[in-house]
Amino acid sequence: MKVLRIISCILLLLNANCVDAQQYNFRNYNVEDGLGQSQVYAMYQDVTGKIWMGTRGGGISIFDGFSFETKSTYDGLPSNYINAIEEDHDGKIWIATNNGLCNYDGFAFTKVQLNDEGISIVVRDLFVTEDNHIYCATNEGLYEIFDGKVVQRELPSGDLKNMDVLSLYVESHKQIWIGTEQGLLKLSNENLINYGDESVYMKNAITVIKKDEEGQFWFGTYGDGMYTYNGDRFFRIDYHHELYRQTVFDIYFTENEVWVATLKGGIVQYNKGTKVFRSITEQEGLSNNHVRCIMKDMNGNHWFGTSGGGVCHFLGKQFTNYDKDSGLAGNYIYSVLRDSKNRLWIGNSQLGVSVLTQTGFVNYDASNEFKNIKVKALAEDALGNIWLGSDGQGVYVYNEGKFEAIEELSRAYVKQIKIDPNGDVWIATAGSGLIRVEIRDGNYLIEKYTTEEGIISNRITTLHFDTKGRLWYGTESNGVGCFASFKNRLQLTTSNGLPSNQIRSIAESEDGRLWIGTAGAGVCGFHIYEEENQPIIINEQRGLRSDNVYLLAFDQENKLIVGTEKGLDFVLFNEMGAVTQIKHYGKLDGFTGVETCQNAVWRELNGSMWFGTINGLSHYNPSEISNNERAPVLSLSDIKIFYESHLEKSAIPILNFGKQVSTIVLPYHQNHITFDFLGVNMPRPEGVLYRWKLVGFDDEYSPASNDQSILYSNLNSGEYTFMLIASNEDGVWSEQPLEFKFEISAPFWRKPWFLGAMIILALLLLYFSYKFSVKRIQSKAEQKQEKIQFEKDFLELEQKAMRLQMNPHFIFNALNSIQSLIGTGKETEARYYLAKFSRLMRQILDNSRKSEITLEEEINTLENYLLVEQFCNGDRFNYEIKVSDTLEKDFINIPPMLLQPFVENSIKHGMKGISDEKKDGVITILFEENNGILECIIEDNGIGREKAAELRKVSKETYHTSTGLSVTTERLNRIDAEYDIVPLEIIDLYTKGVASGTKVIIRIPID
């Protein structure tokens, strides 16, 4: 056995691969990502959080975390070759180029003329003093810009004028360090000190000069490393030649470290406390070892500009990644285990297993005592044996440097292996159910549990022992089962609240919840130690990047780690168990494996974790993870009016680096406004959330959203303030909102002058309305007076008509006739006619009180009248009253005594010339309807109107009847005024040219 152990150790040493090929967390940006050119010599982060990257031929590329915007000579730059970028205290950005100096004021680039000759000057370096003087290191000496003036610094000797200056540092206007091709100089009180003459080490070109917080100066050289000056002497710090013959282009200081950009050695970190050097090169993930500049952003992360490799964003070492290039046998990692001997076992795809020790990786496969199989599960039993489960090729045990196959399980498809508190081995299989292996005296006692023994499925995917020793197992399509005391005790399915019955992973939290990862439905948490159980669902709607879960684990802080095909999601809970935040880690965050493999996770005692992915093995180091305490830097990128940029069309710019510099006033009809905004958060640009409100329109902030634009339409006139806040990936919100004030002017009809004019107009309208109303009232009064007078006249006319309708001679004659009957003894006949006469008088008196009577009443009155007239005239004529069958006599109303004057006229004048003996006079009265008009026709066969008129003249008869007829005619004409008809028509009748009677037609509208 000792021999086997020795052989195993020898093999480990012989097969160990270098583990230095590890990936730090970098995001690399190059031309294909939008960078203007791959050589970046200068970087600067402006007040909006955007990073300006100066290139060698590609101008300046401005990066906002999502995309690049390139500025070149077409935009006003004097040259596309950029050497340095700085900002003064007024907010102007100064840019050193191969064709002079320019500045950017937020709107445009302006070139600064350094000399009168207009000769092109190469500006290599810039320095901004506390009193806002700009110093330029150029190929024509040293220039100073202040208060709009350009001054070339010079000595009486003229030594500075034509000097090619590479770098500079200004202590004061009289103490300036100058780096040149020939070494280090210092301008001190108009004296030039050449330190290269005093030291054999300082004769190389000085590429960079920096001063740390302790007051020490650091000098980078071309080909001679780096020097430090403490005020008394110059010295080197690389005692073991870590920077020997290195070219240093930039130096940057953090709290206790010095970061050095080199020509060939990448980034060199020097710890002032430990005096230890560490390199970050292409081997660690740097895109190029030729580094030109270093910048630390607002979030504390470093950026490296390289020559040929673009820009590298260094996010730390929270993830270290290993793949085939690091020594692994394959990139598909299905299982991970740290054994009791501190060896890390890694299950590969098709090539056995790899072991990581302090010396590196060793791979066990068909060429090295094992098999070319896919190791899906790893576990260590109480005796220190390593159990390896394969995908269809059985189970193996590693002990004392030897792999042993368990024959009874030679064809098992193993999904996971767990050791219970008693030391028994439990194996989850795909098709063979649960397998328990009891180890006794070196022998394996195997017992299988399938659906025949009561488990819910033979296809088991995952296992978990809870704190009570119960075994929970997940299945491919039947949910979760609980196996306790060798019996199936409980089953969790969709009927209990599981979002899916397809289970992939199980983990338990400190609060006693069993968390279940599903295939396509996210994660579900059940409390397994309480009877009342309300499941918690975490899915894409709650913030997971994917519902397709492959692994679950808890870290030392009880954060739930969910592994999916899109990376890792860290779920944070509050004290009540509610989800408070979900943080995602993917490729951009250093987790380069991205897609995790099922249950391939291991947590170390120190809290770090190992994850198996389809792209290698990832080591998560929580000590390198720090929360982002800085909220995103907010700025307005554009303001659109009816979808058109206001900034492009406005004659006066309103935004400077995203900040408001002037208030816009919009006319009332331009009330459709869009705000485009951006919160720059370089560590996690996609993790920014926004909330906004428009004071004057909104009362509360909007819900959190990742939208970067908001539209307000149909705004009323008034003053508004747009307020915007944002949070980073760690939920840190802006302390102060970004505000933008604008005004929508009132329409002209709401202007004071217009309102005044409207008031005056309203007063005038009121005045004229008053005058018109008075006039109208007067007119109505006059009309009313006329109407009253008319009604009075009409009433008198009616009364006159009543008086004139009945001929007094008729009454006299009627009474005389009745008296003669009495005198001749015809009392019965006299009483008959007296009754008729009295009835007629009563009808006349009754009708005189009414304005209208029915047609039936009028006919009765006419019959009585004709009967009395016939008696008084000695039966000299006959009469006939006809009524059309279509007339409803009881419902048709007409004026009273309207026809009597015409009937009387027929009797007195028409019948006058007819012999008493013949008795052939006939008066016919006809009532009929014609288109809603009642036509009353009175026709006689008398002598006619002409003969009657002649007789009246001879007899000198009075005209009372004619007067009554004229009054009735007036009444009918009133009807004509109200209705467009001919109310009265008199027709003379002729027979063979001889007058044969008269026809009178009276027309009355039927209502």
Side-chain angles (χ1 to χ4, degrees):
M1 298 297 290
K2 290 183 178 179
V3 173
L4 289 174
R5 290 178 181 176
I6 293 171
I7 293 173
S8 177
C9 292
I10 292 172
L11 289 171
L12 282 172
L13 292 173
L14 290 175
N15 290 283
N17 293 287
C18 179
V19 193
D20 291 335
Q22 55 190 5
Q23 294 288 322
Y24 289 159
N25 190 8
F26 279 102
R27 292 182 193 168
N28 297 325
Y29 301 97
N30 216 314
V31 176
E32 56 268 21
D33 301 303
L35 187 64
Q37 208 262 353
S38 63
Q39 295 173 290
V40 178
Y41 278 35
M43 286 189 293
Y44 169 76
Q45 189 173 27
D46 66 25
V47 293
T48 69
K50 297 177 182 179
I51 298 178
W52 294 51
M53 302 173 183
T55 70
R56 300 294 293 171
I60 293 177
S61 292
I62 305 172
F63 184 57
D64 61 11
F66 294 97
S67 60
F68 291 88
E69 178 187 6
T70 298
K71 301 290 187 180
S72 66
T73 53
Y74 294 104
D75 303 291
L77 278 175
S79 171
N80 288 332
Y81 289 80
I82 312 300
N83 298 316
I85 305 174
E86 292 291 340
E87 182 184 12
D88 67 17
H89 303 308
D90 295 328
K92 285 185 179 180
I93 296 177
W94 294 81
I95 302 158
T97 78
N98 277 11
N99 186 26
L101 179 71
C102 73
N103 61 54
Y104 181 76
D105 60 0
F107 309 121
F109 294 96
T110 302
K111 186 173 181 180
V112 178
Q113 193 70 32
L114 294 179
N115 56 30
D116 296 332
E117 295 82 5
I119 301 173
S120 177
I121 295 179
V122 178
V123 182
R124 306 189 189 279
D125 198 10
L126 296 171
F127 192 94
V128 181
T129 66
E130 290 296 328
D131 55 356
N132 216 30
H133 287 228
I134 313 298
Y135 281 85
C136 304
T138 77
N139 63 337
E140 294 291 336
L142 190 65
Y143 285 85
E144 181 182 0
I145 298 103
F146 60 94
D147 295 335
K149 301 176 182 178
V150 178
V151 176
Q152 185 175 18
R153 294 296 295 267
E154 186 55 282
L155 294 174
S157 61
D159 293 337
L160 275 179
K161 188 171 184 180
N162 297 316
M163 186 177 294
D164 191 356
V165 181
L166 304 180
S167 58
L168 77 160
Y169 188 93
V170 180
E171 288 187 85
S172 69
H173 297 303
K174 294 184 178 182
Q175 302 289 330
I176 303 174
W177 294 85
I178 302 171
T180 70
E181 290 281 359
Q182 290 74 37
L184 179 66
L185 307 176
K186 185 177 183 181
L187 181 63
S188 177
N189 295 319
E190 301 301 321
N191 294 318
L192 193 61
I193 304 171
N194 190 337
Y195 287 100
D197 294 338
E198 300 178 2
S199 171
V200 296
Y201 305 107
M202 300 295 292
K203 293 185 178 295
N204 290 48
I206 306 301
T207 55
V208 60
I209 306 172
K210 292 292 179 70
K211 183 181 181 180
D212 64 18
E213 293 182 354
E214 288 80 21
Q216 289 193 137
F217 282 92
W218 298 73
F219 306 95
T221 71
Y222 196 94
D224 194 23
M226 183 172 64
Y227 290 85
T228 301
Y229 177 69
N230 61 7
D232 295 326
R233 66 185 183 91
F234 293 91
F235 58 93
R236 300 179 67 97
I237 59 171
D238 51 335
Y239 302 115
H240 299 286
H241 302 287
E242 289 89 348
L243 291 172
Y244 179 66
R245 291 189 177 181
Q246 286 275 17
T247 295
V248 175
F249 287 118
D250 200 4
I251 303 170
Y252 192 88
F253 306 103
T254 57
E255 184 176 353
N256 198 37
E257 287 185 324
V258 182
W259 296 65
V260 183
T262 69
L263 175 64
K264 297 179 180 179
I267 297 294
V268 177
Q269 286 179 274
Y270 171 69
N271 190 299
K272 294 180 181 180
T274 63
K275 312 297 182 184
V276 174
F277 285 86
R278 184 182 65 173
S279 296
I280 302 176
T281 64
E282 294 176 13
Q283 195 171 10
E284 284 74 38
L286 193 66
S287 62
N288 196 295
N289 285 336
H290 183 176
V291 183
R292 299 294 304 203
C293 57
I294 303 172
M295 187 200 75
K296 187 177 181 181
D297 66 20
M298 296 174 178
N299 300 98
N301 295 316
H302 288 83
W303 296 72
F304 309 131
T306 73
S307 181
V311 175
C312 299
H313 185 191
F314 181 60
L315 294 172
K317 299 174 290 182
Q318 59 264 44
F319 290 99
T320 306
N321 303 289
Y322 305 88
D323 54 17
K324 290 181 68 174
D325 295 335
S326 308
L328 283 172
N331 284 339
Y332 279 75
I333 308 301
Y334 292 116
S335 53
V336 187
L337 169 72
R338 173 73 70 180
D339 67 11
S340 56
K341 297 178 182 178
N342 203 32
R343 296 172 298 187
L344 188 71
W345 293 77
I346 303 107
N348 294 314
S349 57
Q350 307 300 333
L351 292 174
V353 67
S354 299
V355 180
L356 177 62
T357 67
Q358 292 181 348
T359 57
F361 287 105
V362 61
N363 299 314
Y364 292 100
D365 52 29
S367 65
N368 186 10
E369 298 186 359
F370 193 42
K371 303 283 186 180
N372 289 341
I373 60 175
K374 185 185 298 183
V375 178
K376 298 282 286 187
L378 289 166
E380 183 181 17
D381 63 23
L383 301 176
N385 300 320
I386 308 300
W387 290 71
L388 302 93
S390 71
D391 193 25
Q393 293 177 282
V395 178
Y396 294 81
V397 178
Y398 176 83
N399 183 26
E400 297 294 338
K402 181 181 179 181
F403 293 91
E404 176 187 359
I406 300 179
E407 294 298 330
E408 295 89 337
L409 305 175
S410 60
R411 295 185 179 180
Y413 285 83
V414 179
K415 306 297 286 185
Q416 196 170 21
I417 303 175
K418 291 284 185 178
I419 312 298
D420 70 13
N422 298 321
D424 293 343
V425 180
W426 291 81
I427 304 172
T429 70
S432 301
L434 277 173
I435 299 175
R436 183 173 68 93
V437 180
E438 184 181 353
I439 305 172
R440 285 187 186 175
D441 301 327
N443 296 317
Y444 304 123
L445 301 180
I446 300 174
E447 187 172 2
K448 296 183 178 180
Y449 302 92
T450 64
T451 52
E452 295 180 358
E453 284 74 32
I455 68 171
I456 60 177
S457 174
N458 290 334
R459 304 188 70 83
I460 312 298
T461 57
T462 184
L463 302 173
H464 172 74
F465 284 99
D466 65 19
T467 56
K468 291 185 177 181
R470 296 175 296 183
L471 176 62
W472 297 82
Y473 60 94
T475 67
E476 284 188 1
S477 58
N478 292 79
V480 176
C482 180
F483 195 80
S485 301
F486 306 105
K487 293 182 180 180
N488 194 60
R489 297 294 186 185
L490 180 66
Q491 182 178 2
L492 297 175
T493 64
T494 52
S495 62
N496 305 106
L498 268 178
S500 171
N501 288 330
Q502 301 179 45
I503 312 302
R504 287 208 179 120
S505 186
I506 299 175
E508 185 177 347
S509 58
E510 294 178 355
D511 63 353
R513 285 193 183 273
L514 192 72
W515 293 89
I516 302 165
T518 69
V523 180
C524 180
F526 286 90
H527 206 300
I528 57 176
Y529 304 113
E530 296 180 2
E531 292 184 2
E532 294 186 3
N533 202 349
Q534 183 66 32
I536 298 175
I537 305 296
I538 307 175
N539 50 28
E540 290 183 16
Q541 293 180 345
R542 295 290 304 277
L544 287 182
R545 286 300 177 92
S546 173
D547 288 336
N548 196 29
V549 179
Y550 286 104
L551 64 85
L552 295 176
F554 281 90
D555 66 5
Q556 283 187 325
E557 298 177 353
N558 201 38
K559 293 194 292 286
L560 175 62
I561 303 175
V562 182
T564 70
E565 83 281 5
K566 294 183 179 180
L568 300 175
D569 288 316
F570 282 58
V571 184
L572 283 69
F573 303 91
N574 60 17
E575 295 178 355
M576 305 300 295
V579 177
T580 59
Q581 186 182 359
I582 298 178
K583 293 183 64 174
H584 177 76
Y585 294 93
K587 186 175 182 180
L588 293 178
D589 306 289
F591 188 67
T592 58
V594 184
E595 182 174 339
T596 56
C597 293
Q598 187 174 355
N599 296 317
V601 57
W602 180 266
R603 191 178 84 182
E604 301 280 20
L605 294 176
N606 64 0
S608 66
M609 303 184 76
W610 297 86
F611 297 97
T613 75
I614 65 172
N615 293 307
L617 179 68
S618 289
H619 183 211
Y620 165 67
N621 186 1
S623 64
E624 292 289 338
I625 300 291
S626 60
N627 288 333
N628 185 358
E629 301 295 337
R630 188 182 183 93
V633 182
L634 287 170
S635 62
L636 288 173
S637 52
D638 198 1
I639 298 172
K640 298 185 178 72
I641 309 297
F642 282 100
Y643 306 105
E644 293 187 10
S645 174
H646 189 74
L647 302 185
E648 295 177 0
K649 298 180 68 175
S650 177
I652 303 176
I654 58 172
L655 295 179
N656 185 358
F657 288 106
K659 304 295 184 180
Q660 184 169 3
V661 296
S662 63
T663 301
I664 60 173
V665 179
L666 301 174
Y668 71 92
H669 60 277
Q670 291 190 356
N671 58 354
H672 194 92
I673 184 167
T674 303
F675 293 99
D676 293 336
F677 44 81
L678 179 67
V680 176
N681 179 51
M682 290 301 175
R684 293 288 296 276
E686 72 284 354
V688 178
L689 295 176
Y690 303 91
R691 297 180 66 194
W692 56 81
K693 69 177 178 178
L694 185 63
V695 178
F697 182 83
D698 297 319
D699 294 328
E700 301 292 338
Y701 277 102
S702 68
S705 169
N706 56 9
D707 293 337
Q708 295 178 352
S709 180
I710 177 63
L711 166 66
Y712 291 95
S713 61
N714 298 321
L715 293 175
N716 294 324
S717 59
E719 295 182 353
Y720 296 93
T721 301
F722 178 69
M723 302 178 70
L724 176 72
I725 58 176
S727 74
N728 62 20
E729 71 279 9
D730 288 324
V732 178
W733 286 90
S734 309
E735 293 184 1
Q736 295 294 330
L738 173 69
E739 296 185 2
F740 185 85
K741 301 179 185 296
F742 66 99
E743 179 183 348
I744 297 178
S745 61
F748 69 88
W749 57 84
R750 294 181 61 184
K751 298 288 186 179
W753 65 265
F754 185 82
L755 293 176
M758 289 298 101
I759 292 173
I760 294 173
L761 180 60
L763 292 175
L764 290 174
L765 288 175
L766 286 174
Y767 173 75
F768 286 113
S769 176
Y770 167 76
K771 296 293 289 182
F772 176 75
S773 298
V774 170
K775 188 174 181 180
R776 186 176 61 179
I777 291 171
Q778 290 175 345
S779 176
K780 285 185 176 180
E782 292 175 357
Q783 292 176 2
K784 187 174 182 181
Q785 186 66 30
E786 291 177 357
K787 183 177 180 181
I788 292 172
Q789 186 65 38
F790 176 77
E791 291 177 351
K792 180 181 179 182
D793 294 342
F794 182 74
L795 180 59
E796 292 177 353
L797 184 63
E798 291 282 340
Q799 291 173 351
K800 183 179 179 181
M802 290 298 177
R803 292 195 301 267
L804 297 177
Q805 278 177 354
M806 192 58 62
N807 191 335
H809 292 283
F810 163 72
I811 298 173
F812 179 76
N813 291 335
L815 292 176
N816 282 339
S817 298
I818 294 171
Q819 185 179 4
S820 65
L821 289 175
I822 296 172
T824 58
K826 298 178 181 179
E827 295 180 1
T828 302
E829 191 174 355
R831 282 196 296 271
Y832 170 78
Y833 284 106
L834 184 61
K836 290 293 183 180
F837 179 78
S838 63
R839 181 179 179 83
L840 175 63
M841 292 298 103
R842 179 173 294 180
Q843 286 177 332
I844 292 171
L845 292 174
D846 288 340
N847 292 342
S848 66
R849 299 187 184 96
K850 301 176 183 177
S851 60
E852 288 184 342
I853 59 174
T854 63
L855 181 60
E856 179 70 25
E857 292 174 328
E858 178 71 9
I859 292 172
N860 290 335
T861 302
L862 286 175
E863 284 182 344
N864 287 329
Y865 171 70
L866 286 169
L867 180 64
V868 173
E869 281 283 12
Q870 188 182 41
F871 165 68
C872 293
N873 286 278
D875 294 328
R876 192 170 50 184
F877 66 90
N878 289 320
Y879 65 89
E880 183 180 12
I881 299 176
K882 298 179 181 180
V883 182
S884 173
D885 295 336
T886 60
L887 290 176
E888 297 181 0
K889 298 181 289 183
D890 293 335
F891 295 99
I892 297 175
N893 294 325
I894 63 174
M897 298 297 288
L898 186 65
L899 305 181
Q900 186 271 338
F902 298 99
V903 175
E904 182 182 3
N905 194 55
S906 295
I907 295 171
K908 296 301 180 183
H909 302 288
M911 299 292 115
K912 188 173 183 180
I914 296 178
S915 172
D916 293 342
E917 296 178 357
K918 291 183 178 180
K919 298 182 181 179
D920 55 359
V922 178
I923 297 174
T924 303
I925 301 174
L926 173 63
F927 297 95
E928 63 182 5
E929 181 184 0
N930 185 10
N931 294 326
I933 303 299
L934 175 64
E935 291 187 349
C936 306
I937 303 171
I938 304 169
E939 184 177 347
D940 63 63
N941 59 351
I943 61 176
R945 287 191 295 170
E946 292 182 4
K947 186 66 176 176
E950 292 177 0
L951 292 176
R952 282 200 303 270
K953 290 180 180 180
V954 174
S955 63
K956 299 181 180 179
E957 186 180 348
T958 60
Y959 285 80
H960 70 275
T961 302
S962 299
T963 305
L965 185 61
S966 64
V967 171
T968 303
T969 303
E970 290 182 22
R971 296 173 68 191
L972 292 175
N973 288 335
R974 182 170 175 267
I975 295 174
D976 183 26
E978 295 179 3
Y979 301 91
D980 189 17
I981 59 175
V982 179
L984 176 63
E985 187 176 0
I986 300 175
I987 303 172
D988 292 319
L989 302 177
Y990 293 90
T991 302
K992 296 181 180 180
V994 179
S996 59
T998 306
K999 179 189 286 188
V1000 178
I1001 302 174
I1002 300 172
R1003 297 182 179 90
I1004 305 172
I1006 300 176
D1007 294 333

